[in-house]
Amino acid sequence: DPKIIQKPKYLVAVTGSEKILICEQYLGHNAMYWYRQSAKKPLEFMFSYSYQKLMDNQTASSRFQPQSSKKNHLDLQITALKPDDSATYFCASSPDRGDTLYFGAGTRLSVL
Amino acid sequence: QQQVRQSPQSLTVWEGETAILNCSYEDSTFDYFPWYRLFPGESPALLIAIRPVSNKKEDGRFTIFFNKREKKLSLHITDSQPGDSATYFCAASPSSSFSKLVFGQGTSLSVVP
């Protein structure tokens, strides 16, 4: 059974709309992250959270907002979607900051 | 500017051969180098990792060779199997933040029976 659940697996959106990507981890980890992989680009760090607090933010755009309602949840809200936002978004977690990362299977977002 | 580079972009080897995947980096503060493997439709999973206190790390058929002076490392997969066919990502991070990984673009490995 997957221990890091990302929903949905595939998502199609229209330009200008808003979507929320869901991530839940059942590993008992205290740190959670978002990474993004756009076409022909490496996996790119976006955010890190520790004990539900934002620790690092590498995303320039405020259109990307992580939301942590529970310790094992870190959702990603994306507003005013653009075609360039099309990518696979990976959620990850680690026991604490600085530990090995465990990844979810990703949400593949396509913005038309 | 890409801080972690991988080569080749894709690699095909015969079953039983040794696959060699290369990685180089630019940032001297990088202190932790994991390799992740990604099968289609699955999650990237940690395969093996090295810290510069040593220049070699071995785990079964997988070995990392590390050259700190040249800022290069390589992953050797001996006795390659078709089940090893996947995309392999080299990553790096500073010791101050092991979780803030910088990834290479990946090497797509195909092992032909």
Side-chain angles (χ1 to χ4, degrees):
Chain A
D1 289 338
K3 301 298 184 185
I4 301 179
I5 298 172
Q6 289 191 243
K7 294 183 285 190
K9 193 165 186 175
Y10 302 98
L11 186 57
V12 179
V14 296
T15 297
S17 66
E18 172 183 315
K19 292 294 180 185
I20 295 180
L21 281 55
I22 305 295
C23 178
E24 306 169 7
Q25 56 93 2
Y26 296 93
L27 294 165
H29 290 171
N30 297 313
M32 295 186 71
Y33 313 83
W34 279 101
Y35 279 77
R36 170 175 58 190
Q37 186 177 27
S38 305
K40 299 183 180 180
K41 288 187 178 179
L43 270 160
E44 175 190 18
F45 172 85
M46 298 180 73
F47 299 98
S48 70
Y49 267 64
S50 181
Y51 293 92
Q52 293 186 266
K53 291 185 179 177
L54 178 66
M55 304 306 292
D56 292 296
N57 179 354
Q58 288 281 87
T59 303
S61 174
S62 60
R63 296 186 299 107
F64 294 84
Q65 290 292 329
Q67 299 171 344
S68 182
S69 59
K70 299 180 187 178
K71 180 183 156 187
N72 69 326
H73 282 229
L74 186 64
D75 300 335
L76 182 64
Q77 179 185 40
I78 314 173
T79 57
L81 278 160
K82 303 176 180 181
D84 279 352
D85 298 330
S86 297
T88 299
Y89 291 81
F90 288 98
C91 175
S93 69
S94 63
D96 280 296
R97 278 183 82 210
D99 289 329
T100 298
L101 290 184
Y102 295 81
F103 284 88
T107 292
R108 184 175 291 180
L109 172 66
S110 297
V111 183
L112 306 176
Chain B
Q1 185 181 5
Q2 199 167 329
Q3 295 190 60
V4 176
R5 298 176 189 268
Q6 288 186 249
S7 64
Q9 192 171 345
S10 63
L11 176 64
T12 299
V13 300
W14 294 103
E15 183 175 356
E17 290 186 333
T18 296
I20 300 176
L21 289 64
N22 300 304
C23 180
S24 64
Y25 63 98
E26 297 179 3
D27 192 333
S28 299
T29 67
F30 286 156
D31 208 21
Y32 172 61
F33 302 89
W35 285 82
Y36 279 80
R37 180 171 62 184
L38 177 61
F39 293 109
E42 298 188 9
S43 317
L46 178 67
L47 182 63
I48 187 172
I50 193 168
R51 299 208 166 117
V53 291
S54 62
N55 56 18
K56 181 181 176 181
K57 178 76 176 289
E58 198 168 348
D59 185 356
R61 295 185 295 109
F62 302 91
T63 302
I64 298 175
F65 293 93
F66 183 77
N67 185 325
K68 187 173 182 177
R69 183 178 60 83
E70 294 187 10
K71 295 182 185 173
K72 291 182 178 179
L73 57 158
S74 60
L75 174 67
H76 291 224
I77 306 173
T78 57
D79 188 25
S80 296
Q81 301 296 310
D84 295 330
S85 298
T87 300
Y88 292 77
F89 293 97
C90 173
S93 66
S95 57
S96 58
S97 183
F98 285 139
S99 303
K100 198 170 174 180
L101 292 170
V102 178
F103 282 85
Q105 287 188 289
T107 293
S108 177
L109 174 66
S110 294
V111 181
V112 181

